[in-house]
Amino acid sequence: MTKMKALVCRECGKRYPLEPLHVCEFCFGPLEVEYNYDAIGREMSRASIEAGPKSLWRYAPLLPIEKEPTVGLYAGMTPLIHAKNLGRELGLDRLYIKNDTVNHPTLSFKDRVVAVALTRAREFGFDTVACASTGNLANSVASHAAQAGLRCFVFIPSDLEAGKILGNLVYRPTVVAVEGNYDDVNRLCSEVAGEYRWAFVNINIRPYYAEGSKTLAFETAEQLGWTAPDHVVVPIASGSLLTKIRKGLMELAKLGLIDQPHTKVSGAQAAGCGPVATAFEAGRDFIKPVTPKTIAKSLAIGNPADGYYALKAVRETGGSIASVSDSEIVEGISLLARTEGIFAETAGGVTTAVLAKLARQGKIDRRELTVAYITGHGLKTQEAIAGSVGDVVRIQPSLSHFEQTLQLKRDT
Ligand SMILES: *Cc1c(COP(=O)(O)O)cnc(C)c1O
């Protein structure tokens, strides 16, 4: 099934075989999968996609696997919701939410990248999978490894939310909680990856893993009736998701499945970990690493691997990047829940709050067809909103106490 040609260095263009490799030996640039789009085009049409499975695998010819998918068969095809209530509040006439809080099986967008990464890892013959994670990636790798019968090690910062820690342990992987932040975890994992023949989904098989994010763009365009949005708002951790949403739209155009997109790509970060937003605001093209301090732990990468490319994508498309404080993040979670009935995790609070900010600043036009990517479920980050969502009304089990406490007047 594969239409892959090679791995190619994004900086110097040197080509490599399709193996578990991720950096160029000459210039240390990141490697990316190169496809044969002519061959893919002969195999893919709107009709063939629409006849495919109700999962991200309907776009298999544009994903970096060689045989049939074997892991994560049900990921993707999450709802694209016309967010009329939130749109009315923000003054946006055509606002949509891509709701990846209900992705299968671990309620975040990471189920997409892991489905692709573990299918590829199996093609390479790995029996052990691993990752460096800010939380959601570990949950997804652990779940898929359990289902696929693969040995699994996940590495996380030790201060993660309880829901994300339990959301690893339940699948019985080895959970390594590192006393440090994500950047420390990632550095350690790069060393481990050098010593053991394990598939680290976001290290040695990162070029394949990252491609899974394109499916968010594919689905969005299909769900909009084969058109690209005018504007998208995307959360940034490593910056990979943002760059791949743009790449996904460009690929659909290259294959003639949509018209050439003019989509503005905007990015969302937490102020407590906003190195890409800071570079954007300062007009710089390099990213200064920061030490993360934010409740948006899933986005807390102080030294983002794809930050430079995310910044470039935003600038080239005429989008913007904004950051929001922890209290704005909590308000964002609450705003999305109150208007659209969607309970998002802190990353979703970041995206919603940045969406609101850009709308207020006039950086998103009222008439633009805008899609905001809500990437993880709120039950995983309950700590963030405890204390700011009110409390229950506590009563005795009697009608009179119920009416007395709520001071209700009966209908007559
Ligand atoms: C990982 C993650 C992101 C962003 O991922 P990058 O590709 O690293 O930028 C966004 N939202 C959630 C909930 C995540 O877990």
Side-chain angles (χ1 to χ4, degrees), residues 40 49 106 165 182 196 237 281 290 351 394 396:
I40 294 170
I49 295 167
T106 67
I165 293 176
Y182 172 83
Y196 296 85
E281 281 151 21
V290 300
T351 304
R394 203 169 287 276
Q396 302 298 314

Side-chain angles (χ1 to χ4, degrees), residues 79-118:
L80 182 74
I81 288 155
H82 191 177
K84 291 184 186 162
N85 299 333
L86 179 57
R88 199 176 307 118
E89 237 173 266
L90 302 182
L92 299 174
D93 295 339
R94 295 194 293 159
L95 176 64
Y96 290 79
I97 298 290
K98 181 65 171 161
N99 184 11
D100 253 19
T101 70
V102 293
N103 215 342
H104 181 85
T106 67
L107 309 179
S108 89
F109 111 84
K110 292 299 196 303
D111 291 328
R112 299 174 181 277
V113 281
V114 171
V116 174
L118 293 204

Side-chain angles (χ1 to χ4, degrees), residues 108-110 134 136 213 235-242 298-299 301 345 347 375-376:
S108 89
F109 111 84
K110 292 299 196 303
T134 57
N136 286 313
S213 293
I236 298 174
S238 73
S240 175
L241 169 60
L242 184 144
S298 56
L299 303 181
I301 298 184
E345 71 144 84
T375 46

Side-chain angles (χ1 to χ4, degrees), residues 140-156:
S140 189
V141 169
S143 161
H144 285 91
Q147 194 277 328
L150 295 159
R151 190 159 73 124
C152 179
F153 292 81
V154 299
F155 296 75
I156 54 171

Side-chain angles (χ1 to χ4, degrees), residues 10 64 102 185 199 201 214 228 240 249 275 322 325 331 387 404-405 407:
R10 262 192 277 182
V102 293
V185 174
V201 301
K214 295 187 305 191
S240 175
L249 293 173
S325 68
E331 279 169 36
Q404 203 184 315
T405 309
Q407 299 185 305

Side-chain angles (χ1 to χ4, degrees), residues 220-273:
T220 302
E222 182 181 352
Q223 288 167 319
L224 289 172
W226 297 109
T227 43
D230 298 320
H231 208 138
V232 293
V233 180
V234 186
I236 298 174
S238 73
S240 175
L241 169 60
L242 184 144
T243 61
K244 295 294 180 174
I245 284 181
R246 177 162 185 240
K247 182 179 179 188
L249 293 173
M250 305 291 275
E251 284 185 338
L252 293 182
K254 200 175 299 189
L255 296 175
L257 296 168
I258 61 171
D259 291 337
Q260 190 60 37
H262 300 286
T263 309
K264 290 181 191 156
V265 180
S266 285
Q269 289 209 296
C273 184

Side-chain angles (χ1 to χ4, degrees), residues 1-77:
M1 185 188 283
T2 189
K3 302 295 175 288
M4 290 183 276
K5 292 205 288 198
L7 291 175
V8 182
C9 175
R10 262 192 277 182
E11 289 303 318
C12 72
K14 185 171 162 46
R15 293 158 65 86
Y16 292 85
L18 290 158
E19 282 168 15
L21 299 169
H22 70 297
V23 280
C24 177
E25 324 178 327
F26 290 90
C27 74
F28 302 105
L31 305 184
E32 190 165 49
V33 177
E34 184 182 60
Y35 297 92
N36 178 349
Y37 290 106
D38 290 338
I40 294 170
R42 282 193 291 276
E43 181 174 334
M44 239 182 158
S45 64
R46 289 181 184 179
S48 76
I49 295 167
E50 286 162 2
K54 273 208 162 336
S55 73
L56 55 78
W57 296 113
R58 65 209 273 114
Y59 311 103
L62 282 166
L63 294 172
I65 63 168
E66 292 183 15
K67 304 189 200 103
E68 292 298 313
T70 59
V71 186
L73 300 188
Y74 306 97
M77 277 317 258

Side-chain angles (χ1 to χ4, degrees), residues 359-397:
R360 222 182 304 122
Q361 295 173 342
K363 290 183 177 151
I364 302 176
D365 187 87
R366 141 177 303 264
R367 286 151 306 185
E368 283 180 321
L369 196 162
T370 300
V371 177
Y373 288 88
I374 301 299
T375 46
H377 202 286
L379 287 173
K380 295 198 199 189
T381 63
Q382 295 179 44
E383 296 86 338
I385 53 158
S388 60
V389 284
D391 207 345
V392 298
V393 179
R394 203 169 287 276
I395 60 164
Q396 302 298 314

